[in-house]
Amino acid sequence: MQGLGELEALVMDVLWRSTEPVRVRDVIDGLDDDREPAYTTVMTVMDNLHRKGWVHRQRNGRAYWYEATRSREEAAADGLRALLESTGDPTGVLLHFVRGTSDVESKILARGLRERGKK
């Protein structure tokens, strides 16, 4: 995910898979890779994510409980928008992308545009 370090992305993956707020220990237990980072390392990463606006935290007793501030899809769309803006020619990039879409992708894009018009 654009704008995230490797461990930050792994932490966000745990948060996005969770249906409720989680503690640092829950994140460590939920990491998919073989490494088990130190508790303080994950706590620092989650504090950084909070400062960057990726997560919301609420104190419950002695621990903070964390949850993502936006869905994985919203974060990906924000990253795509930032990437397009950084190219200097977002129109050209979008047109190039659309010309190369599959039939299924084209139908999804058309559906999104129809839904956008209904707002």
Side-chain angles (χ1 to χ4, degrees), residues 15 20-22 54-58 65-70:
L15 291 169
E20 52 193 45
V22 296
W54 284 84
V55 300
H56 168 75
R57 70 180 180 194
Q58 185 169 347
W65 292 76
Y66 296 84
E67 59 188 334
T69 56
R70 57 190 175 222

Side-chain angles (χ1 to χ4, degrees), residues 92-110:
V93 173
L94 280 172
L95 288 173
H96 184 74
F97 174 77
V98 169
R99 289 180 190 123
T101 59
S102 68
D103 289 342
V104 171
E105 292 167 335
S106 293
K107 288 177 183 178
I108 293 168
L109 288 169

Side-chain angles (χ1 to χ4, degrees), residues 53-91:
W54 284 84
V55 300
H56 168 75
R57 70 180 180 194
Q58 185 169 347
R59 196 172 196 74
N60 188 351
R62 295 181 59 192
Y64 280 113
W65 292 76
Y66 296 84
E67 59 188 334
T69 56
R70 57 190 175 222
S71 71
R72 182 189 310 267
E73 295 78 14
E74 289 169 325
D78 291 346
L80 179 57
R81 191 168 289 111
L83 181 62
L84 284 170
E85 291 171 3
S86 73
T87 67
D89 184 17
T91 301

